[in-house]
Amino acid sequence: SQELEQSPQSLIVQEGKNLTINCTSSKTLYGLYWYKQKYGEGLIFLMMLQKGGEEKSHEKITAKLDEKKQQSSLHITASQPSHAGIYLCGADSPNSGYALNFGKGTSLLVTP
Amino acid sequence: EPEVTQTPSHQVTQMGQEVILRCVPISNHLYFYWYRQILGQKVEFLVSFYNNEISEKSEIFDDQFSVERPDGSNFTLKIRSTKLEDSAMYFCASSLGLAGVYVLYEQYFGPGTRLTVT
């Protein structure tokens, strides 16, 4: 089965700093999805990427897919306290009927 | 903005009891899912549902679990005889379509039902 490894596991950054979260798949990536989860709450959809090299941005968050490396990165520019939460990458594949398989998440804390 | 809703937000039940978790997916969505997240662990897929039947299910989704779309709006997950290890946050999700090799559809998640089995 496909495994998604996220790094780092947790991150503490000062407000205004940039940061990057990585998600590496053990198998071929078809669709890669980024979600944000606040502690004890539901998952909020951020972005989805399909094609190798695809890059998408929403406000200060940019996600990129490197198909050859089977990896995606999520970059936050000029972090704010509102960015705090758990970032999850999820991947689907034809072998799982396109159900989402998630990584363990990266916990982000932004300090003033 | 349309959203997935779930009830109850928290359910406490005794081991061996049956529970039904309810979800109202986004109204024009066609595919429905249940996931669960045991405390401190990753979100895990349970089952997907389309056109009134199960499309895909994981190893977790054994005979103790069932899903139903009893009317045009609700989507339910039933656990027949709860075990301690069923304690988790259960998330319902829905999507407009089913992802394929050449197309993606985002899944929208509800806020979750925290199930505590004592």
Side-chain angles (χ1 to χ4, degrees):
Chain A
S1 62
Q2 183 178 37
E3 294 291 325
L4 294 175
E5 185 85 27
Q6 285 189 239
S7 62
Q9 209 170 3
S10 64
L11 202 48
I12 302 174
V13 299
Q14 202 172 19
E15 186 175 354
K17 299 292 186 186
N18 302 337
L19 63 108
T20 300
I21 298 168
N22 292 304
C23 174
T24 304
S25 172
S26 61
K27 296 192 174 183
T28 302
L29 281 170
Y30 291 90
L32 192 290
Y33 302 75
W34 283 100
Y35 286 84
K36 179 184 174 186
Q37 183 181 27
K38 291 205 167 174
Y39 298 98
E41 296 182 15
L43 281 65
I44 300 165
F45 172 76
L46 295 175
M47 274 173 277
M48 60 187 178
L49 304 163
Q50 183 177 23
K51 303 181 187 68
E54 186 172 27
E55 184 173 316
K56 285 188 179 176
S57 293
H58 176 66
E59 297 178 344
K60 293 187 177 179
I61 301 177
T62 300
K64 194 184 298 189
L65 180 63
D66 186 331
E67 204 170 38
K68 285 181 183 173
K69 289 184 181 176
Q70 294 178 176
Q71 187 178 72
S72 178
S73 58
L74 186 84
H75 184 78
I76 299 177
T77 305
S79 57
Q80 300 165 1
S82 60
H83 287 129
I86 301 170
Y87 288 83
L88 302 172
C89 66
D92 60 21
S93 85
N95 297 329
S96 67
Y98 297 97
L100 288 177
N101 177 34
F102 285 95
K104 290 184 179 177
T106 294
S107 175
L108 172 64
L109 181 63
V110 180
T111 61
Chain B
E1 189 174 316
E3 57 182 17
V4 177
T5 59
Q6 289 186 244
T7 54
S9 56
H10 192 186
Q11 172 97 45
V12 181
T13 190
Q14 283 192 322
M15 198 167 55
Q17 295 295 304
E18 174 184 286
V19 293
I20 297 176
L21 309 183
R22 292 183 166 79
C23 167
V24 178
I26 294 174
S27 61
N28 63 336
H29 284 188
L30 300 175
Y31 292 84
F32 315 116
Y33 313 82
W34 284 101
Y35 292 82
R36 79 172 186 190
Q37 185 177 33
I38 294 171
L39 191 63
Q41 296 186 25
K42 66 177 187 174
V43 176
E44 301 172 291
F45 168 72
L46 293 178
V47 66
S48 58
F49 191 86
Y50 169 70
N51 199 26
N52 282 319
E53 58 183 36
I54 291 173
S55 302
E56 198 76 28
K57 59 182 181 178
S58 70
E59 293 171 353
I60 303 167
F61 195 87
D62 61 23
D63 293 343
Q64 291 298 313
F65 291 90
S66 63
V67 288
E68 195 178 37
R69 188 151 160 84
D71 54 44
S73 57
N74 289 285
F75 179 49
T76 62
L77 174 69
K78 183 194 289 186
I79 308 174
R80 259 180 272 284
S81 177
T82 49
K83 304 171 196 162
L84 294 176
E85 53 265 37
D86 293 328
S87 294
M89 182 77 105
Y90 287 80
F91 294 108
C92 172
S94 70
S95 64
L96 185 59
L98 181 67
V101 176
Y102 302 107
V103 64
L104 301 184
Y105 285 99
E106 60 270 42
Q107 293 180 25
Y108 290 93
F109 282 71
T113 292
R114 181 167 296 286
L115 177 65
T116 303
V117 183
T118 61

